[in-house]
Amino acid sequence: MTQEQWLAQYIASCFAGVTLGNGIDLYAAQSMDDHGNPDEDHLSLSAERHDWRRVPSDDLFPRFWAVTFLDALGFRFYTPAIMTALLQPDDPGECLSSWFLANLSITQQGTIKEVPFNTLFTARHKAALMRFLKYAIYNRSRRFDTDVAIHRMNEIQARS
């Protein structure tokens, strides 16, 4: 088993049972970024809402800007899908990783997407985030901004 396979399984176990609920889905977020997009609105009608593992990674990469338009529930739902997609060996996701790390920022008030970080993410979620960030930092051959990953890891450690 490769390191990436192990980490993907770890992420899956830590985020098991996370659903979108009434959060904003990826396609609706992309439509917001586009200032309205009928094609994305149509995709939103059948968006996966119950199992983040069923979100096609091919849908994540071209919608990297949409990450900014996700609400807190949407961001939590897509976080494990994005992390897992970014572990793929043929990952075209430099933009996706940059926007994911940018949106993982925790404010001085301890919020992410206007929700307290510690209520949005459980201890198990945080453990998966930390392992992913460590992977991003120590696997420099991948396209991660290691300075941002270090900063995000420090923010999470300060909130744990």
Side-chain angles (χ1 to χ4, degrees):
M1 176 181 300
T2 67
Q3 181 180 17
E4 290 79 11
Q5 290 169 328
W6 181 89
L7 185 52
Q9 286 181 356
Y10 184 76
I11 291 167
S13 71
C14 290
F15 280 88
V18 170
T19 64
L20 180 59
N22 62 355
I24 296 172
D25 67 78
L26 183 69
Y27 311 101
Q30 183 63 46
S31 182
M32 287 180 215
D33 179 46
D34 294 343
H35 302 285
N37 181 325
D39 293 333
E40 296 294 326
D41 293 337
H42 181 71
L43 290 169
S44 177
L45 296 173
S46 61
E48 179 60 47
R49 302 186 78 75
H50 302 288
D51 187 350
W52 61 265
R53 294 171 298 173
R54 289 190 227 157
V55 174
S57 60
D58 289 345
D59 287 3
L60 296 169
F61 292 113
R63 293 175 177 85
F64 59 89
W65 281 98
V67 175
T68 301
F69 292 89
L70 295 171
D71 61 358
L73 293 176
F75 187 71
R76 181 180 60 195
F77 180 72
Y78 289 102
T79 286
I82 291 170
M83 291 190 299
T84 302
L86 291 173
L87 295 173
Q88 296 175 10
D90 56 347
D91 148 36
E94 186 172 353
C95 292
L96 182 60
S97 66
S98 295
W99 284 102
F100 172 67
L101 290 176
N103 280 271
L104 189 57
S105 179
I106 303 170
T107 67
Q108 289 182 339
Q109 295 77 29
T111 63
I112 188 167
K113 302 273 186 181
E114 301 180 9
V115 172
F117 179 78
N118 288 328
T119 61
L120 185 62
F121 291 105
T122 68
R124 289 189 46 82
H125 299 158
K126 291 180 220 173
L129 284 164
M130 291 296 287
R131 287 188 187 257
F132 175 80
L133 291 168
K134 287 178 184 177
Y135 173 85
I137 293 164
Y138 294 108
N139 288 278
R140 296 181 188 272
S141 63
R142 306 293 291 213
R143 291 173 295 216
F144 294 106
D145 185 329
T146 55
D147 291 336
V148 175
I150 290 168
H151 191 71
R152 294 301 170 255
M153 192 169 72
N154 291 336
E155 289 175 344
I156 293 170
Q157 283 176 330
R159 300 292 169 195
S160 297

